[in-house]
Amino acid sequence: MIKRIGDLFALSTDSASCCFKILPTGQLEHLFYGKRINFGDDGRLLDLFAQDCKGAAGGSIAYDDASKFSLDGMSLESSGRGKGDAREPFVEVENADGSMTTDFVFESADVDSCPAEMRTLPSSRGCREHLCVTLKDKNFSHILRLHWNVYPECDVITRRAEFTNGSGASVRLRRLMSAQIDFEGDGFVAGDFSGSWAHEMNLNFTPLASGRHVVESSCGVSSSSANPFVMLGRGGVSQDSGECWGFNLVYSGNHYECFDVESGGRLRFVNGINPKEFSFSLAPGETFESPESVASYSDNGWNRLSRNLHRFARLHIARGEWSDRERPILLNSWEAAYFDIDQMKLLSLAEKAAAAGVELFVVDDGWFKGRTDDTRALGDWDADEGKFPGGLAPFVEKIKSLGMKAGLWVEPEMVSAESELFKAHGDWALDIPGKGHSEGRRQRMLDLANPSVQDFIIEKMSEVFSQADISYVKWDMNRAMSDVYSRSLSRDRQGEAAHRHTMGFYRVAKALVEKFPHILFEGCASGGNRFDLGALCVFPQIWASDCTDALRRVSIQEGYSYGYPQSAFSAHVSASPNHQTGRASPLETRFNVACFASFGYEMDLRAAGKGDLEKIKRQISFYKKWRGLFQFGQLRRSRCGDLVEWTVASEDSRRAAAIVFRARGGDDLPLARLFPRGLDPSLVYSVGVVDSGGERALGKAGGDALMAIGARIEPGLLRGDLSSAMFLLEAEDGE
Ligand code: GLA
């Protein structure tokens, strides 16, 4: 609900409210973002919240002679430079006269039910409540439009901004954030997700004291070192209690999140495109739009926050035929054979996969001409006839005759220096002309800021995807940006290169995804180096990590689960000992962990023993029965001591599945209990456990007792290192 009451704007979702008002001087004063409140019909119930705007304290700058207050002491919806607010700004512009001061004041406001699509970037869909407030710069007539979308059932409010050069001369935009939210009070803790290759989404909690806590990426992608999803908690927030907020960006490029804490009990949060190495020149009348920023609030701890964000990502970010469809069980050739593939080898692997019940066979890297290792051939997207006589079409038909669909790996945004494409179009690579280039994975990035490069990729990939009956595409992107320079931009516009590259990626990916609506696209960037809501607008799922080790996957997948639904990340059962860590783990645990995602296998089934193949067959038929719940069910995390526990429950709470995982075995755990979440306290559930023999009934219990007291776990079930147990809970029909 969006309500305007005089100078007051009140935005409410099912459980949260956000409000601000127009000050007599024209700025927007932020009043509150938190638990849903009653504003009253005339807004008077908020009288006591507004700040005292009288008198600039001590050495602070008074905004003007008449009002004599300082912007520095206010909570604001957007801030510029130069008028007294010294905190993290929302917008920075280099005006034609070289000055950097902006002074935006209220001009008009519109509430409607249908926000316009963004022109250059992907954004949330299906919004029915939208507010746009237009501000105007008093000195240069620049226009700043602030947009809010309200998604009541997800407890999500999104924000974004548009800046239009209103002056008669060109200006340089130095920063345009997506959201600014000022909080009052103390005792805040920031939650963010750092990592590296094969080690994504490590959750860090940092108590916020005076100063700036910054999360950012500057390597051209959202990056595994700092995911754009961040959280804020107050007091002793836990999984199921306490106040918390989550913020994310619908953007896959360089991003910036900053918690700017003042000692006086104020906290400013901003997020948006990373202003470092960014600038954008705008001629008179030209407009720049910042990515959409997503915010959610929960007064029931992190689990509730995650469920809000999961629902939002599923309903308002994912799009296309596959957004809400159960995902097929796949077998990927990468860890089974790496580059050493050919039709014969893959068909013998495919036969094993089909016999086990796999539905989709994916040919990973190595299928195209000259691609014998990772030093060459990216860009030359024609099938290697030596490996696939007659091309891919006959091979795909053979896969289909085994009863499976076929999928293919591509890395469209890249070129190898050793390739026909590079020989023909060396100037399409992103590098500084005449200067040495720092390589990543022995390959170059194509310059996606260049429209000719975009057109080439769309055309070439259209050919690749139509050469055979392809049902799935893994779209990889294996290096970060270095030596950023686009030959398609003039010298003074190089600050635009990284952002224009990101816009180019969206144009290319969107064109292809829309042209091939039946194909299931999976994003990938050496695992999770581009895992964000922008990428999820084009790809319904993303390869979560190149690490398939069960222990590491528990923490990686748990990290993702804070901000992203299980359907959005994929997980595969791979060989033991694991290829990345060398750690051995039971097949059951590898399976149990991978279940909580879009699921598949990535191992040489030809090398698996008869016993393991039988188990895999049973795992697959089990997953087929329960996958709707694993991929789309409501996830809740809980921990008790050494144990990790996840539950997924159906929307009506009648079905649930839970995993309990134990990293370090040893003594029996006589007191270990399963504490499922999300059950209906008034229903009776039959509880079963899945073990290698299949599903085994354990008994019955009420939902209230299961959640309060927990069900005892048989001591033998969690004995060894990396042991785990999967439980199923189904409500009995009432009398
Ligand atoms: C990246 C991906 C892997 C695999 C290889 C192929 O590392 O993350 O899953 O596809 O590329 O080169």
Side-chain angles (χ1 to χ4, degrees), residues 308-319:
N308 293 344
L309 293 165
H310 291 187
R311 183 184 292 258
F312 177 75
R314 286 198 304 256
L315 297 179
H316 301 294
I317 291 292
R319 54 203 79 197

Side-chain angles (χ1 to χ4, degrees), residues 191-205 215 222-231 247-249 255 257 306 309-310 525-533 536 542-547 551-565 568-570 637 639 646:
D192 58 69
F193 298 87
S194 61
S196 55
W197 175 75
H199 218 128
E200 293 84 348
M201 296 302 279
N202 300 298
L203 173 54
N204 316 292
F205 283 120
V215 175
S222 44
S223 95
S224 51
S225 53
N227 196 273
F229 173 56
V230 297
M231 308 188 294
F247 310 105
N248 209 342
L249 260 196
H255 61 89
E257 293 73 35
S306 299
L309 293 165
H310 291 187
S526 303
N529 206 30
R530 184 167 63 189
F531 199 110
D532 56 71
L533 293 179
L536 286 169
I542 299 176
W543 179 228
S545 175
D546 272 357
C547 187
L551 175 62
R552 196 134 354 125
R553 273 287 180 147
V554 168
S555 99
I556 292 171
Q557 290 174 211
E558 178 150 312
Y560 282 118
S561 80
Y562 276 85
Y564 304 96
F569 50 85
S570 46
R637 298 164 298 262
R639 275 168 193 274
W646 303 331

Side-chain angles (χ1 to χ4, degrees), residues 26 125 244 302 307 321 352 415 521 541 614 633 636 653 725:
R125 63 183 175 96
C244 53
W302 308 119
R307 289 202 304 285
E321 281 181 22
K352 292 278 183 195
V415 62
F521 283 86
Q541 63 188 52
E614 277 307 312
R636 289 166 172 87
S653 298

Side-chain angles (χ1 to χ4, degrees), residues 2 9 11 20 109-112 129-133 146-148:
I2 300 176
F9 294 85
L11 289 70
F20 56 91
D110 294 293
V111 176
D112 60 49
E129 295 183 66
H130 166 243
L131 164 67
C132 174
V133 174
L146 305 179
H147 295 269
W148 287 260

